[in-house]
Amino acid sequence: MALIELEHIVKTYDLGLSKVPALRDIHVRIERGEFVAIVGQSGSGKSTLMNIIGCLDVPTAGRYRLSGRDVSTLSDDELADVRNLEIGFVFQSFQLLPRASALENVELPLVYRGVAKKERRDRAVEALGMVGLEDRMKHKPAELSGGQRQRVAIARALVTQPSLLLADEPTGNLDSRTGEEIVRLFLDLHARGNTIVLVTHEPKLAGRCPRAVRLVDGLVIADGPGREVAAANAEALGAEALAQFQAAERAVQSGTRP
Amino acid sequence: MTRLRRILAELRDAILQAAFSLVSHKLRALLTISGIAIGIMTVILIFMVESGMSASFARQLSTLGPNTLFVHKWKWGVSGNDWWKYKNRPHVNMLDLRALQQNTTLPVAIAPLVNTQATVSHGGKDVKGVDVRGTTDGYLDATGWQIRRGRFITALDQEIGANACIIGADIEDAFFKGQEPLGQQVRVGPNMRCDIVGIFARKGNAFGQTQDLRVVLPLSSFIRTFGSKRGLVVAVVAPEGKVRETEDEVTAVMRNARHLAPDQEENFSVNRQDKLLEGFEQMMKATNITGILVGIITAIVAGIGIMNILLVSVKERTREIGIRRAVGARRATILWQFLCEAVMVALVGGAVGIALAAGAASIIDLISPLPARVDPRVMLGGVIGSAVLGVGFGLWPALTAAMLQPVEALRYE
Ligand SMILES: Nc1ncnc2c1ncn2[C@@H]1O[C@H](COP(=O)(O)OP(=O)(O)OP(=O)(O)O)[C@@H](O)[C@H]1O
Ligand SMILES: [Mg+2]
């Protein structure tokens, strides 16, 4: 049984006057132990898809089965429990509680799991150790660098030992060197048997994943070994960048702002 | 076990967050808290004054039977316009009393009454707000009170103005735990010492007020100590079924004693208890309505303050709600978290209000002869009331927070 089964997933944002089709007909299966990158241009629906996989959002149509369970049949409380027990989510913008220390942030999911205080502390310390932050546990997010914040967020996602680790552009807000550290961390976690789904803009990162899925306008248009999908995506990105550059040039020439 | 641990950890977290949220918006919290505090204090004080009034009323009523008539300068149950008319009447005095005692035939018993509140002391200990009465030997028959030990005032006591007194059970408890009170002395008011010659049987409460906190003196001794400017009330007990006839006889004797011509208006009143009750009940109703109105207005003003605090807090913490929901918090968790904040504001306000009311009461207690204090039940009511207020007005903002979709909350800037 596949861990993730997405069948004909559709997500449409209703803005009253217009409807935005963010996902149109997504069909993806992900097995336990896989490491899958999701690539695509900005606005292609990557975050929307990740939020659905992470049970933070529900599809407009289609069926999503997580470990064989149809998510649409679950109550709000059950969804909260799934997020707590099965999923670790890493966000592009970290999403840490600003007033809590690194340690308290990592402990939070265990609070909602009813783990005893002592064990909670031990496990949070252990998770922070795995991301190399054992010496920053008492720091508030504001007192940490971007890379360190992202590592706290990863520790929070790992602390519950979830069956699925999701990361939406985890390196998007980091410089390339810190980004590289985070990538190593994910590769390492994958090597230890974790199932990981990761959204990325960077072809280099996608190229290192065993499998990549490419979205265009809410449709899967490529699904295969990371290197190949990433190369195609890079071309597309290149074309997009070129188009943007040309548009900017025209704007400058005609004296308007791009 | 896991569930309980989760609830406890969440509760601790909620309290910490709520406290932090309040501290980081001191001015706003302060305004709302003082609003609640002033409101609760006002309501408590209104009800305190009210219960003070019923206490003094209960003291007066406690001696009355349905067949008892009261000859008094004032017409009971009258308020407002006629005040000056009654105010300018002469007091009922000793001559009137003597006339009633000598010239009436029907009454079963006649007793003069005059009372005041005073401090009674013994062995360095003070009891405030004691109901001190002056009367004569007819008192027991007129009121049905009983002596448990010793004796009551005699005609001789009255004649010579003896320094003798009868004490109520509460006084006995206060000064003479396990001792013999008879033959001991107490000080009544600033400068009268008197020997205890008798102890009343315990009477219990009437209208929620003790009737045993009292000292009875011979009328002559009372007047010597406390002066005669209060005037008397003369209680006249009519025989069963002859209240009307007795009233007529008393009126005739009084008119005669006051030398009133047949066309002259009476300058005294023969009162019945039911009249008094009527007037009193009206007054209590008015006070009650005032208290309730002030309470409602307070609740609304305070409630809007609480709601405002919470709405701002929900807005500010929207992302935090998203984060918590993303890592497994249920809707109920979020709901509790914000309710906790609402209840905390309300409880702090309530506690400050109760403290202010208690402070005001002890100042009143200090500078006036009336005993004033805030009943612990009223305090408890204030605490529960403010908690309910918090939940009531916090519920809607807390529900909006709980109903937020995780993605929406996370996206909030
Ligand atoms: N809450 C929303 N309301 C309306 N439209 C939305 C909403 N969220 C996303 N969309 C639209 O859905 C489409 C897909 O958005 P999504 O955020 O999934 O893209 P993405 O691939 O993650 O882009 P990026 O790489 O910039 O993060 C976009 O056209 C976006 O405008
Ligand atoms: Mg995105």
Side-chain angles (χ1 to χ4, degrees), chain A residues 13 15 20 22 41-48 169 201, chain B residues 408 411:
Chain A
Y13 288 108
L15 298 181
V20 181
Q41 288 170 350
S42 186
S44 57
K46 305 182 295 293
S47 295
T48 307
E169 302 205 40
H201 254 112
Chain B
E408 304 294 332
R411 201 181 286 132

Side-chain angles (χ1 to χ4, degrees), chain B residues 24-35:
Chain B
S24 56
H25 297 285
K26 284 193 197 68
L27 183 65
R28 198 183 60 193
L30 211 68
L31 285 175
T32 304
I33 285 170
S34 40

Side-chain angles (χ1 to χ4, degrees), chain B residues 288-305:
Chain B
N288 252 329
I289 290 173
T290 315
I292 290 168
L293 272 181
V294 171
I296 290 174
I297 293 169
T298 304
I300 292 173
V301 171
I304 290 171

